[in-house]
Structures are given as C-alpha cells and as structure tokens.
Amino acid sequence: KMLDSLQTIANRYARERDCFGDTGTACISCGKWFPFEELDGGHYVPATATHSALRFDERNINAQCHKCNRFLHANLRGYFRGLEKKLGRDGLDDLEAADGPKKWTKEEIDELKLYYKRKLADLRAGIPPTTVADNPFA
C-alpha cells in the first residue's frame, strides 16, 4: 500500500511535469499529443521486483498515452527513441545502469513522497520542472 501510494504521486508528478505550461503533451512512445486526462505515468524499465531500483526514478517515468502504456506494453521501441531524445544517449545509459532490485524502507518511501509532493507544489505554483539532480534516489 505504501509503495502504491508513492507510485501514484510519482506518476502524477511525471504527467504534470511533462504537461507543464499546457493542457497535455506528446506521448513519449508514439509522439502523438494527448490531453492530460488521457496520459499515464508510464515506465521505460518496468516497475517489477527485479527492476525496483528504478520504480520511482523520475527519468524512468514519463507521460505516455493509455494505448502505448496499457495495450502496447509501453511500446518500448518508441519509448526508447523518445527517452533517448529526452535524456541523450549518455543519460539513457546512466538510467539503464542504475537498474536492479531494491527493497524500499519506510523512511525512503516517506522521503520520496515528500520529494514528489514538493515538486508537484512547485509545478502548480508555476515553477518550471528542474533536472533530476535533486532526486535523492536518481
């Protein structure tokens, strides 16, 4: 339950970050524009036990249309191209290198919830999104 609650906040942040200043954005996988309500916080590296170190990494969560995320299993070929464009090849390599299993502590979960709540508040106050450098777990 605590992980699910954090995931909801992290996914919400990623969607609002990617839509900042607009009512929607292009899906990272297919490139088509969608309104906010038709976007998910989709993961490039799946949020599973074997990949749990990246579950809440904001580089790994991006606005993705329902079709790509829910029915095309993230449309990984398109996601790769979109993420490479967004992060650069070195950034994508860094993300993939951080992959692996992780057991999240209650303290880490609480810290990340606070982190994402602050970042959401900033976006809603009109403060543009920052880089992931201040993410304690990126």
Side-chain angles (χ1 to χ4, degrees):
K1 289 240 180 218
M2 288 181 10
L3 289 176
D4 291 341
S5 171
L6 173 54
Q7 192 69 68
T8 298
I9 295 167
N11 289 357
R12 178 75 188 205
Y13 168 73
R15 292 166 50 221
E16 288 193 29
R17 172 200 66 208
D18 292 349
C19 294
F20 185 77
D22 204 344
T23 58
T25 192
C27 168
I28 190 136
S29 295
C30 68
K32 295 178 188 163
W33 192 93
F34 291 90
F36 180 84
E37 299 78 24
E38 295 178 29
L39 295 164
D40 291 329
H43 288 73
Y44 174 63
V45 177
T48 63
T50 54
H51 302 288
S52 55
L54 295 177
R55 181 173 180 175
F56 306 112
D57 188 316
E58 64 193 87
R59 299 170 298 175
N60 189 46
I61 311 169
N62 294 277
Q64 191 175 45
C65 73
H66 296 230
K67 180 180 178 184
C68 286
N69 189 43
R70 300 177 190 185
F71 304 109
L72 298 178
H73 307 286
N75 184 0
L76 285 178
R77 195 172 274 144
Y79 206 138
F80 175 85
R81 286 191 299 270
L83 201 54
E84 185 177 40
K85 183 177 178 183
K86 185 174 186 174
L87 300 177
R89 185 63 212 194
D90 288 344
L92 186 53
D93 289 345
D94 288 346
L95 177 67
E96 290 177 338
D99 188 16
K102 175 165 179 45
K103 184 123 175 112
W104 294 94
T105 67
K106 181 185 181 325
E107 292 76 22
E108 289 172 326
I109 293 167
D110 290 343
E111 185 178 346
L112 272 171
K113 276 186 183 178
L114 226 78
Y115 169 80
Y116 279 117
K117 285 179 181 180
R118 280 194 297 262
K119 297 224 14 162
L120 274 167
D122 286 350
L123 292 178
R124 292 169 182 169
I127 300 168
T130 59
T131 65
V132 297
D134 56 343
N135 184 327
F137 298 99

